[in-house]
Amino acid sequence: METIIFDQQLEQAVEALKQGEVVSFPTETVYGLGANALDESAVKKVFAVKGRPSDNPLIVHVYDFDQVKPFIQTKHPLAEKIVEQFWPGPLTLIFEIKPESLPKVVTGGLSTAAFRMPNHPVTLELLRQAQLPLVGPSANTSGKPSPTSSAHVYHDLKGKIKGIVEGGQSQIGVESTVLDLSNPNLPPMILRPGAITKEMLEATLGLEVLIDQHLVKESETPKAPGMKYKHYSPDTPVMMVAPKDLLHAVRHFGKENYRLGVMATPSQIALIKDQVQTCFAYEDEKVQSAAKGLFSGLRQLDEQSPKLDLILVVTFENKGLGMAYMNRLKKAAAQKIY
């Protein structure tokens, strides 16, 4: 199959989706792998393309909250307030849904489903024109770093999907926050951190928002994507390193004759650049740049030739957006830290 780059030619992309094809679309977080969420055979193609276990639930992308309401069994009392404040945006909401309102392949067999309204003008227009809810897991091979550009999608999935809607570089770079609203009698709980932080939610809601720290084993069915113990991993082994330990780690692995790659801020790279084979510097010292560059940096260093033996990635403080960055990094590194 030839994979077409739809340069915002949405009529062709819409037609492909209506015919049950798989089309990648841009969002502000990462690129998604779109298919009609109401078409079981189309959704199964998404799992086949990604090589993803079919017990893993998918996020359903919509163009407004009215599109979600027919699926919801019991609406959480805070749902409207959250939607009004944070949609469109990098926030996925989990609701208890009406039995058989979505195919089991979308929900992973659970009684809940996840919904998001992405903050990207091209994809919002795609959703409006299609008038279909679209599943949209990250458009990459399952378990590998998520794609933040159409080039990343093409690299992973050329010949496997019908097309890619071009939408430029993803601005956030890590997947959406997932917030569990499935039990209207319980406070909201973050299942996956993202750019909408605990602090932001609490400021809007005026109450404590919980965070689920549970790491899902391979044998378990996660309630939301990205909850597995290991995820987002390139082929090259990854290890976390605290900024204070970076120089020591570089010297240690240098003595062991490792071909080493390092991902860090510009000032941190300046300290060690003469002692490693290759580096990937974030745009600046801020965690926003680290989050935006994490997946693209992992991909770039993973493709070095000859192959690297190890990629060292600096840690950030585990708060605010740093919580989302560290969540992805810990899984990419299979929890290993120097």
Side-chain angles (χ1 to χ4, degrees), residues 49-122:
V49 166
K50 283 181 67 69
R52 178 174 180 163
S54 58
D55 70 341
N56 221 349
L58 301 175
I59 294 172
V60 179
H61 290 66
V62 297
Y63 61 83
D64 65 16
F65 191 48
D66 286 341
Q67 207 179 1
V68 179
K69 291 176 181 176
F71 297 102
I72 299 175
Q73 178 77 291
T74 308
K75 190 166 66 177
H76 196 285
L78 295 172
E80 299 275 8
K81 188 172 187 178
I82 292 169
V83 166
E84 184 179 338
Q85 182 68 27
F86 296 108
W87 275 19
L91 180 65
T92 293
L93 302 177
I94 293 183
F95 295 103
E96 187 80 17
I97 61 168
K98 295 172 183 175
E100 300 181 7
S101 58
L102 283 169
K104 287 184 178 178
V105 70
V106 174
T107 64
L110 301 173
S111 62
T112 56
F115 298 89
R116 177 162 108 84
M117 181 183 177
N119 190 15
H120 196 292
V122 174

Side-chain angles (χ1 to χ4, degrees), residues 18-245:
K18 288 183 174 179
Q19 292 178 1
E21 299 290 352
V22 177
V23 173
S24 176
F25 57 77
T27 79
E28 76 278 28
T29 57
V30 300
Y31 272 68
L33 198 56
N36 180 359
L38 305 178
D39 183 341
E40 184 176 352
S41 62
V43 176
K44 285 182 176 177
K45 289 181 184 178
V46 170
F47 285 106
V49 166
K50 283 181 67 69
R52 178 174 180 163
S54 58
D55 70 341
N56 221 349
L58 301 175
I59 294 172
V60 179
H61 290 66
V62 297
Y63 61 83
D64 65 16
F65 191 48
D66 286 341
Q67 207 179 1
V68 179
K69 291 176 181 176
F71 297 102
I72 299 175
Q73 178 77 291
T74 308
K75 190 166 66 177
H76 196 285
L78 295 172
E80 299 275 8
K81 188 172 187 178
I82 292 169
V83 166
E84 184 179 338
Q85 182 68 27
F86 296 108
W87 275 19
L91 180 65
T92 293
L93 302 177
I94 293 183
F95 295 103
E96 187 80 17
I97 61 168
K98 295 172 183 175
E100 300 181 7
S101 58
L102 283 169
K104 287 184 178 178
V105 70
V106 174
T107 64
L110 301 173
S111 62
T112 56
F115 298 89
R116 177 162 108 84
M117 181 183 177
N119 190 15
H120 196 292
V122 174
T123 292
L124 284 174
E125 184 59 28
L126 177 72
L127 287 160
R128 286 191 190 96
Q129 288 189 25
Q131 290 291 303
L132 294 169
L134 301 178
V135 297
S138 55
N140 59 313
T141 304
S142 185
K144 299 304 179 187
S146 298
T148 54
S149 70
S150 59
H152 293 161
V153 181
Y154 192 79
H155 176 274
D156 284 15
L157 302 180
K158 62 182 177 183
K160 297 180 180 179
I161 63 176
K162 186 68 175 180
I164 303 166
V165 177
E166 176 59 62
Q169 186 78 21
S170 299
Q171 292 305 300
I172 294 175
V174 292
E175 297 85 354
S176 60
T177 304
V178 176
L179 190 68
D180 189 357
L181 297 179
S182 60
N183 188 332
N185 300 314
L186 294 178
M189 177 179 283
I190 293 173
L191 301 185
R192 180 179 74 183
I196 303 300
T197 64
K198 170 183 167 74
E199 295 82 0
M200 293 164 68
L201 289 162
E202 289 177 341
T204 293
L205 301 176
L207 53 79
E208 183 182 7
V209 173
L210 305 176
I211 298 180
D212 183 1
Q213 303 286 5
H214 173 57
L215 286 172
V216 178
K217 299 175 183 175
E218 289 303 316
S219 58
E220 292 181 79
T221 299
K223 200 169 188 179
M227 293 180 71
K228 295 278 187 175
Y229 180 87
K230 186 180 179 184
H231 203 59
Y232 315 111
S233 302
D235 292 332
T236 308
V238 176
M239 184 177 289
M240 299 176 280
V241 59
K244 65 181 178 61
D245 297 326

Side-chain angles (χ1 to χ4, degrees), residues 230-297:
K230 186 180 179 184
H231 203 59
Y232 315 111
S233 302
D235 292 332
T236 308
V238 176
M239 184 177 289
M240 299 176 280
V241 59
K244 65 181 178 61
D245 297 326
L246 179 59
L247 184 57
H248 189 275
V250 166
R251 288 172 175 168
H252 168 78
F253 289 111
K255 289 177 183 176
E256 300 290 327
N257 294 318
Y258 272 61
R259 283 193 56 80
L260 192 63
V262 173
M263 292 173 56
T265 70
S267 65
Q268 292 161 348
I269 292 292
L271 294 174
I272 52 89
K273 65 180 180 180
D274 295 332
Q275 302 183 50
V276 295
Q277 277 75 22
T278 187
C279 299
F280 180 93
Y282 298 136
E283 289 178 2
D284 56 38
E285 307 298 313
K286 297 177 182 176
V287 69
Q288 287 82 358
S289 295
K292 184 178 179 181
L294 178 61
F295 290 142
S296 56

Side-chain angles (χ1 to χ4, degrees), residues 261-263 278 280 297-304 308 311:
V262 173
M263 292 173 56
T278 187
F280 180 93
L298 288 173
R299 283 174 170 269
Q300 182 174 311
L301 295 189
D302 191 43
E303 292 169 12
Q304 294 294 309
L308 298 173
I311 300 172

